[in-house]
Amino acid sequence: MEPTAGPRHSSSPRAESLAARLAALTGRQPRVSVDGCRTRIEADLPPQLTNTQCRMLYLALADTDHCGIHSDGYAWAELLDLPDPARLTADQRAGYACTLCGLTLYTSRFLGTVNGVQLWACSPAC
Ligand SMILES: [Zn+2]
């Protein structure tokens, strides 16, 4: 195995681990897309799942920040990888500037709380 060094922009270790679990469970390669600090994974489900596969699916999805099963026959999950507030500017920590792009916020969306700091970003997206 190649050692992974440096920043990875495609996805996080958590997202890769979930994608691998879903691939093993469904026998298909999940679709992974990254939007800012949000990684979305979609996995097509086989027409039939055994009880064991269902339980594994729910356990895998339970580790995520948002998830669901689409009526078109795929499971989706979103993972948020929020930055360490210590690396942000004072304005970003105070919610005056976007956590992701650093611009002044007018309309904002809540990303989550890290170490007691609420993080906000441009809405709908930057
Ligand atoms: Zn922004």
Side-chain angles (χ1 to χ4, degrees), residues 19-52:
R21 284 171 83 178
L22 290 175
L25 213 151
T26 62
R28 297 146 204 238
Q29 199 54 44
R31 297 176 292 280
V32 179
S33 56
V34 179
D35 166 27
C37 55
R38 184 188 305 269
T39 303
R40 182 180 173 94
I41 299 172
E42 294 177 357
D44 290 325
L45 297 173
Q48 294 281 322
L49 286 174
T50 65
N51 284 342
T52 306

Side-chain angles (χ1 to χ4, degrees), residues 22-116:
L22 290 175
L25 213 151
T26 62
R28 297 146 204 238
Q29 199 54 44
R31 297 176 292 280
V32 179
S33 56
V34 179
D35 166 27
C37 55
R38 184 188 305 269
T39 303
R40 182 180 173 94
I41 299 172
E42 294 177 357
D44 290 325
L45 297 173
Q48 294 281 322
L49 286 174
T50 65
N51 284 342
T52 306
Q53 285 173 316
C54 267
R55 210 163 56 235
M56 285 167 63
L57 177 65
Y58 290 137
L59 282 174
L61 294 179
D63 278 348
T64 68
D65 298 303
H66 299 281
C67 64
I69 295 180
H70 196 275
S71 55
D72 283 351
Y74 63 87
W76 62 272
E78 290 182 345
L79 298 170
L80 281 174
D81 281 301
L82 297 176
D84 183 348
R87 297 202 314 261
L88 299 175
T89 67
D91 275 357
Q92 284 173 317
R93 283 196 297 271
Y96 298 132
C98 174
T99 297
L100 304 177
C101 70
L103 294 179
T104 301
L105 282 176
Y106 296 98
T107 56
S108 56
R109 61 194 160 102
F110 182 57
L111 294 176
T113 304
V114 178
N115 300 336

